[in-house]
Amino acid sequence: MSDSVIRAYPDGPLIVRGDFTLQDENGEEITPERGTIALCRCGRSALKPLCDGTHALTRRGPRAGK
């Protein structure tokens, strides 16, 4: 198994690359269909736990618009 890398982007998702298993709250496996995924951190995605880009529309604070 190769290493997994999780990268946090400011005001954005967590990007997960490598070998990983994604599970829902009941421990059931979620098949992400690809080897690199973006996990939602803002809580507004319609594809939870995957990111759908909604965070870009709802940014607030000093980083907004950058």
Side-chain angles (χ1 to χ4, degrees):
M1 185 184 271
S2 67
D3 291 337
S4 297
V5 175
I6 301 172
R7 187 170 189 179
Y9 284 86
D11 298 323
L14 296 172
I15 302 296
V16 183
R17 291 182 174 95
D19 293 327
F20 58 87
T21 301
L22 183 60
Q23 296 178 342
D24 68 11
E25 67 273 7
N26 298 314
E28 299 293 324
E29 190 167 336
I30 298 171
T31 305
E33 312 278 331
R34 56 185 68 142
T36 299
I37 62 168
L39 295 174
C40 176
R41 289 196 303 160
C42 76
R44 295 183 178 108
S45 173
L47 302 174
K48 289 180 208 150
L50 303 176
C51 175
D52 67 1
T54 299
H55 62 275
L57 302 173
T58 60
R59 284 189 190 153
R60 293 191 184 125
R63 298 190 64 89
K66 290 187 179 181

